């Protein structure tokens, strides 16, 4: 158990809908990362937050947004969902958000868009 | 459990043998490299890392080798065990506040 929790574990929704994925980092970790893992794209970095502020941005679509709250939990919002958004979404956390800090991954949320 | 289902390169190894998983990284400016292990139904798990000022680093049963000349990274697992069966990802980044890029992964299958 990495100490990172993600909810829900599974999510099934329809195209055009909006969903919110939630992540609680390890106790003491200030930085949160979001990744998408799909069948054809591998593990893709989406976005990173550090202590409530956006720190780095990756291949995140404009339909997707995220935030980190004062209690350090984070939410990833996916809107106008398309079939191609079906994937595993992982959250990771690290102590201070440096690349040399170990990232601890949560168990993921499996999103299925029908 | 859940699996990624990618058409990944696959390495099959007999239990007890040594495994070598290779990775070519893309950015010559990368100076920090990490290996992750992802078991079926779980998130990636940190194994070992190495900075560009080193060419070898050893952990418990694992060794990472870095060849900056040809932008190549390898993970050696000694005395491979069934519990080592997983997808292994290399990742590259810079020792600054920048994103880490993951490679496509290699599936390791250990034959008992």
């Amino acid at each position: 158990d990495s100490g990172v929790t993600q909810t829900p574990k599974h999510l099934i929704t329809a195209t055009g809908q909006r969903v919110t994925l939630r992540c609680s980092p390890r106790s003491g970790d200030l930085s949160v990362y979001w990744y998408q893992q799909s069948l054809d794209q591998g593990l893709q970095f989406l976005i990173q937050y550090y202590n409530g502020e956006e720190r780095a941005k990756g291949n995140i679509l404009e339909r997707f947004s995220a935030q980190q709250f004062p209690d350090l939990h984070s939410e990833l919002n996916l809107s106008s969902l398309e079939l191609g958004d079906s994937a595993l979404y992982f959250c990771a956390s690290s102590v201070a958000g440096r690349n040399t800090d170990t990232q601890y991954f949560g168990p993921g949320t499996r999103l299925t868009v029908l | 459990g859940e699996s990624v289902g990618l058409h990944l390169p696959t390495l099959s190894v007999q239990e007890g043998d040594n495994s070598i998983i290779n990775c070519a990284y893309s950015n010559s400016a990368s100076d920090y490299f990490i290996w992750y292990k992802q078991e079926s139904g779980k998130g990636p798990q940190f194994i070992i890392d190495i900075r560009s000022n080193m060419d070898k680093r050893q952990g418990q049963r694992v060794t990472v080798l870095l060849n900056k000349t040809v932008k190549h990274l390898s993970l050696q697992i000694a005395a491979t065990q069934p519990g080592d069966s997983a997808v292994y990802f290399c990742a590259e980044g810079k020792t600054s506040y920048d994103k880490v890029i993951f490679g496509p992964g290699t599936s390791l299958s250990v034959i008992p």
Side-chain angles (χ1 to χ4, degrees):
Chain A
D1 183 2
S2 67
V4 177
T5 60
Q6 289 187 250
T7 57
K9 188 173 174 60
H10 300 278
L11 197 50
I12 301 174
T13 189
T15 55
Q17 295 298 305
R18 172 188 170 95
V19 297
T20 298
L21 312 184
R22 184 188 168 100
C23 168
S24 292
R26 288 188 331 149
S27 177
D29 284 0
L30 298 178
S31 192
V32 169
Y33 310 75
W34 285 99
Y35 292 87
Q36 179 192 59
Q37 188 172 44
S38 59
L39 291 177
D40 59 349
Q41 293 285 328
L43 197 63
Q44 298 285 319
F45 168 72
L46 294 178
I47 198 164
Q48 177 197 2
Y49 282 84
Y50 172 74
N51 206 20
E53 301 286 328
E54 183 182 305
R55 173 61 62 83
K57 215 166 189 174
N59 302 321
I60 188 166
L61 300 172
E62 285 192 10
R63 300 184 285 109
F64 296 1
S65 65
Q67 54 184 325
Q68 186 180 27
F69 294 87
D71 68 352
L72 300 176
H73 91 270
S74 179
E75 293 180 355
L76 178 67
N77 301 297
L78 315 175
S79 62
S80 303
L81 284 167
E82 302 174 359
L83 295 177
D85 297 328
S86 294
L88 273 164
Y89 291 84
F90 287 104
C91 166
S93 73
S94 72
V95 169
R98 296 165 298 207
N99 269 352
T100 52
D101 292 335
T102 298
Q103 291 185 35
Y104 295 88
F105 283 76
T109 293
R110 164 74 76 181
L111 174 66
T112 301
V113 182
L114 302 176
Chain B
E2 302 287 354
S3 65
V4 176
L6 290 167
H7 296 292
L8 299 167
T10 300
L11 176 66
S12 293
V13 175
Q14 202 73 37
E15 181 178 356
D17 287 352
N18 297 333
S19 303
I20 300 177
I21 301 170
N22 295 305
C23 173
Y25 64 92
S26 58
N27 190 348
S28 57
S30 294
D31 60 4
Y32 180 63
F33 306 89
I34 317 109
W35 279 100
Y36 283 89
K37 171 186 180 183
Q38 186 176 20
E39 297 175 84
S40 182
K42 297 183 179 180
Q45 177 185 11
F46 172 89
I47 302 173
I48 191 168
D49 59 4
I50 189 168
R51 298 192 188 221
S52 60
N53 61 351
M54 303 172 70
D55 54 20
K56 180 179 180 179
R57 190 169 186 214
Q58 288 184 292
Q60 191 173 21
R61 273 200 315 120
V62 294
T63 301
V64 55
L65 298 178
L66 174 63
N67 185 331
K68 296 182 289 293
T69 304
V70 294
K71 294 193 290 186
H72 183 268
L73 197 63
S74 69
L75 178 71
Q76 299 178 1
I77 304 174
T80 313
Q81 302 168 0
D84 295 327
S85 293
V87 175
Y88 289 81
F89 294 95
C90 66
E92 61 180 296
K94 289 181 263 190
T95 51
S96 57
Y97 293 100
D98 201 355
K99 57 184 181 285
V100 169
I101 306 296
F102 282 76
T106 296
S107 178
L108 175 66
S109 179
V110 181
I111 305 163

